[in-house]
Amino acid sequence: MTMPNPAIISFLETVHPYDTLSKDDLAQVAGVFERREYAAGDEIYKTGLPLNGIYLVKRGSVEVLEPSGGLVSLLGPRNSFGERGLLRDGLAVTTARATEDTVALMLPTLDFKRLIAGSPAFARFFSRGRTAEARGADLTTQKVADLMARKPVTIGPNETIRAAAAKMRDAHVSSLGVVDGDAFHGIVTTRDMTNKVLAIGLDANSPVSGIMTRDPVTLTPEDLGSDILHIMLERRIGHLPVVEGARLVGMVTQTDLTRFAAVSSASLVRDAASAETVAEMAAVTARIPALLVQLVGSHNTHEVVTRLITDIADTVTRRLLALAEATLGPAPVPYLWLACGSQGRQEQTGVSDQDNCLMLDDSVTDADMPYFAALAKFVSDGLDVAGYFYCPGDMMATNPVWCQPVRVWREYFRKWVNTPDPTAQMLASVMFDLRPIGGAVSLFRDLQDETLQMAAKNSIFVAHMISNSLTHSPPLGLLRGFATIRSGEHKNHIDLKHSGVVPVTDLGRVYALIGKLPVVNTRARLLAAEDAGVISISGARDLIEAYDMIAEIRLENQARLIRSGRKPDNFMAPSDLSDFERSHLRDAFVVVRTMQSAIGSARGARS
């Protein structure tokens, strides 16, 4: 075995899941890592070729590209890549290229697989998301409720064929359900118009009941996509009514199946990366609700759903940056666009605003600032058009406060940590979730490490951050009920964002601060906090399970709203859940409140 390099050991101690290894195991692993240096533009591996191992960025930046050339992700220090291919057949499923001078560590395949087999932390870390990826958006296992067109267009049996044709034309549909009150009688299609009317010269004023298909084959919302495929193929039909009892509730057509097959996160990322205008990007992001319904219907875990949706926002942002530079010219000095909030944590859902900032190289001059103001406006305006609406609190790069040289950002964080008043706590909470999106990642690397170390050592700041994390409480009422909103548009609903996931997000941020953990995703923070011993194993497991339930119910509620033709939001009436679901959701909220009480008592939160 090669003697381990002390610098590699020190680095791996800061990287999850290597930080879970014992001292001896870590030294052994460090001894087999190979140090690789790449110049900007160098290809690290190429799609379809054998991989030598898994890579870990030590210094620099690496872009990962899909086979079509679309950007999958932009990676910085402590990010791993190459595991997808290794865990399949050993062949790269992406291409990796250094975007600046980069040092990467490569762990050979056999050693990587030994770690996966021997360490539960490694197996859990590198398998998360892979099951859902392999499962994919399988049409055959989707429920009909997730595929059908709701609010089907209908016509009465005694209305004329001419009226039926006009309805189809006006609604841009190829079929009508024939109903009398709530009773479903049959279906009439454009094929019926051709074969039973035009071909034989039937009077267009005849009743539509004369040409409809009576008692057609139907499905229920609980049937599967495989049922649709089998019936359509066997009977050679293109329309299937969906009924509940005798009532028509939906219609599934071949067009619906084609539309489903065309929606995937990869296709949206590809289309966003190649968009030439903001309008084209808006057309891409308009497909996100359908993607959310599909991903939730495929029973993907919430962290997979939100990661895939966030990837689209990242791609749109990087494309806007490229278009801005094409319009304004090259940037006068290096810069870095960062996201905070849900995009920074890779937790976007079907409804998101934008939270972002710009870090500029310290060589920037006053004469350069108008360029970056114009760049920020171009990108922020484009994000708004694409559906990522302006931040109500003005936490955007268009605000001059959040478009500054690195030296100013360093001073911001120093002041927030040393003078933790309520405003500083709020700003620090937002900025601790920063994640680089596009530009020179090196501008942020040292600042992030410095700030974590400085903040974790300041017990007063930590206490204030804990206090700030307790401002959002789970919606628990008396007698095993929920504390619902009492008035207004969302009366008798609970807010699954601010009263549901935000309390856990706040806890995760504090755990990361205490443990000096660089990850920003909430679930990853909880797992890292468990592995680092910041919270007990039992407490971590309970909190992770509670968070999973709250986050998944939130996504299911958004998918339900989208399927009903409404815009997704974060409000849900507890009555929409079954007794079983309500009971378990309340138990999840109890776990969150318990963990809030534990950290408030143990760490002496200040009021």
Side-chain angles (χ1 to χ4, degrees):
M1 182 185 77
T2 305
M3 290 298 293
N5 183 327
I8 293 180
I9 293 178
S10 297
F11 176 68
L12 293 179
E13 286 175 337
T14 69
V15 181
H16 188 71
Y18 301 94
D19 58 358
T20 66
L21 298 174
S22 67
K23 186 175 181 180
D24 290 342
D25 288 342
L26 184 63
Q28 182 178 2
V29 170
V32 295
F33 262 106
E34 299 176 14
R35 190 176 189 274
R36 304 281 181 91
E37 295 186 8
Y38 303 94
D42 282 356
E43 195 171 77
I44 300 171
Y45 59 71
K46 189 172 183 178
T47 303
L49 297 182
L51 288 161
N52 295 319
I54 186 174
Y55 295 81
L56 178 63
V57 182
K58 189 172 188 292
R59 185 175 71 247
S61 178
V62 173
E63 61 179 4
V64 179
L65 308 171
E66 61 184 7
S68 65
L71 185 66
V72 175
S73 56
L74 183 65
L75 306 177
R78 298 184 179 86
N79 289 148
S80 298
F81 58 104
E83 67 268 23
R84 288 177 58 200
L86 286 182
L87 293 169
R88 290 182 177 181
D89 54 5
L91 302 179
V93 297
T94 55
T95 294
R97 184 185 302 136
T99 59
E100 61 184 86
D101 292 346
T102 295
V103 174
L105 303 178
M106 194 274 289
L107 182 65
T109 301
L110 288 178
D111 297 288
F112 172 66
K113 290 189 174 179
R114 287 193 192 103
L115 279 175
I116 291 289
S119 169
F122 268 78
R124 182 175 61 203
F125 183 84
F126 286 108
S127 65
R128 285 206 318 275
R130 208 172 64 254
T131 301
E133 177 185 75
R135 179 190 303 151
D138 186 355
L139 173 64
T140 61
T141 60
Q142 291 283 310
K143 287 190 176 182
V144 168
D146 296 326
L147 297 168
M148 70 183 187
R150 292 181 179 266
K151 298 182 179 178
V153 184
T154 61
I155 193 167
N158 296 322
E159 293 189 57
T160 65
I161 296 170
R162 188 186 307 279
K167 275 199 171 187
M168 289 188 197
R169 177 200 63 203
D170 295 342
H172 304 288
V173 296
S174 55
S175 64
L176 297 174
V178 182
V179 300
D180 187 6
D182 286 336
F184 173 58
H185 289 277
I187 181 175
V188 59
T189 68
T190 51
R191 182 192 292 184
D192 295 324
M193 293 289 186
T194 301
N195 296 342
K196 300 179 182 179
V197 181
L198 294 177
I200 63 173
L202 186 63
D203 185 355
N205 291 315
S206 302
V208 75
S209 58
I211 63 167
M212 72 179 184
T213 299
R214 296 178 180 275
D215 300 321
V217 178
T218 61
L219 294 169
T220 72
E222 295 301 309
D223 286 327
L224 299 178
S226 58
D227 298 316
I228 301 171
L229 293 173
H230 296 163
I231 292 172
M232 285 187 173
L233 290 171
E234 180 182 346
R235 299 177 181 250
R236 297 184 180 180
I237 56 178
H239 303 77
L240 279 170
V242 183
V243 298
E244 286 183 334
R247 187 168 61 92
L248 180 69
V249 294
M251 188 77 71
V252 178
T253 68
Q254 290 178 343
T255 302
D256 295 319
L257 305 187
T258 301
R259 186 181 300 114
F260 177 90
V263 176
S264 71
S265 62
S267 67
L268 268 66
V269 165
R270 178 198 64 213
D271 293 346
S274 61
E276 294 295 333
T277 66
V278 174
E280 289 180 8
M281 289 184 214
V284 172
T285 56
R287 292 151 55 191
I288 289 177
L291 174 65
L292 185 146
V293 169
Q294 185 184 108
L295 292 171
V296 172
S298 296
H299 307 294
N300 289 283
T301 58
H302 67 90
E303 69 270 24
V304 170
V305 176
T306 55
R307 169 61 187 272
L308 293 176
I309 290 176
T310 305
D311 285 348
I312 299 164
D314 290 354
T315 303
V316 169
T317 304
R318 285 190 286 267
R319 185 59 183 150
L320 285 167
L321 287 169
L323 292 177
E325 289 194 28
T327 301
L328 302 171
V333 299
Y335 71 88
L336 179 63
W337 185 282
L338 303 100
C340 44
S342 60
Q343 184 182 1
R345 297 189 304 273
Q346 296 179 302
E347 293 169 4
Q348 288 191 318
T349 64
V351 51
S352 296
D353 62 357
Q354 54 173 295
D355 300 281
N356 45 60
C357 64
L358 270 171
M359 290 187 180
L360 312 178
D361 188 88
D362 281 338
S363 63
V364 70
T365 67
D366 289 344
D368 297 327
M369 295 307 290
Y371 175 93
F372 290 107
L375 181 138
K377 186 176 189 311
F378 186 103
V379 177
S380 187
D381 288 351
L383 288 171
D384 182 67
V385 172
Y388 305 101
F389 51 88
Y390 298 121
C391 172
D394 204 19
M395 299 289 293
M396 297 181 293
T398 49
N399 184 338
V401 175
W402 311 126
C403 178
Q404 293 290 335
V406 172
R407 64 178 180 273
V408 175
W409 280 100
R410 183 172 277 110
E411 183 63 16
Y412 282 168
F413 280 107
R414 188 191 68 77
K415 286 183 177 178
W416 294 338
V417 171
N418 292 331
T419 312
D421 58 34
T423 300
Q425 295 170 38
M426 182 274 292
L427 294 173
S429 295
V430 173
M431 295 305 175
F432 271 123
D433 294 347
L434 285 174
R435 181 172 61 88
I437 303 299
V441 178
S442 58
L443 296 177
F444 179 61
R445 184 185 309 125
D446 294 340
L447 179 60
Q448 182 188 35
D449 292 340
E450 290 172 18
T451 303
L452 267 177
Q453 296 296 326
M454 174 177 58
K457 292 176 183 177
N458 190 319
S459 59
I460 295 176
F461 176 76
V462 172
H464 278 285
M465 286 293 289
I466 290 173
S467 178
N468 187 62
S469 75
L470 305 180
T471 56
H472 294 97
S473 300
L476 291 169
L478 300 175
L479 303 176
R480 294 196 60 78
F482 295 99
T484 59
I485 298 170
R486 295 184 177 181
S487 61
E489 178 185 0
H490 302 294
K491 183 179 180 181
N492 297 326
H493 287 63
I494 55 177
D495 185 342
L496 288 170
K497 178 182 178 181
H498 292 102
S499 299
V501 297
V502 167
V504 186
T505 299
D506 290 342
L507 285 173
R509 188 181 299 110
V510 170
Y511 296 148
L513 173 62
I514 294 169
K516 305 175 188 176
L517 307 171
V519 292
V520 296
N521 174 265
T522 298
R523 198 174 194 278
R525 280 172 165 169
L526 299 181
L527 289 167
E530 175 193 355
D531 291 335
V534 176
I535 47 178
S536 68
I537 293 176
S538 60
R541 299 283 168 82
D542 287 346
L543 185 57
I544 290 169
E545 288 183 10
Y547 177 58
D548 288 345
M549 167 163 280
I550 296 166
E552 284 169 10
I553 286 179
R554 180 191 181 200
L555 286 175
E556 288 166 1
N557 182 60
Q558 290 191 4
R560 183 164 54 246
L561 291 171
I562 293 167
R563 286 196 301 266
S564 67
R566 291 181 284 172
K567 290 184 177 181
D569 60 33
N570 293 299
F571 301 95
M572 183 194 70
S575 58
D576 289 342
L577 300 176
S578 67
D579 289 343
F580 178 84
E581 290 170 323
R582 282 197 298 274
S583 176
H584 281 271
L585 179 60
R586 191 183 188 284
D587 289 343
F589 287 144
V590 169
V591 169
V592 176
R593 177 172 284 181
T594 300
M595 295 301 288
Q596 286 182 323
S597 299
I599 195 170
S601 301
R603 296 280 174 171
R606 293 171 179 246
S607 57

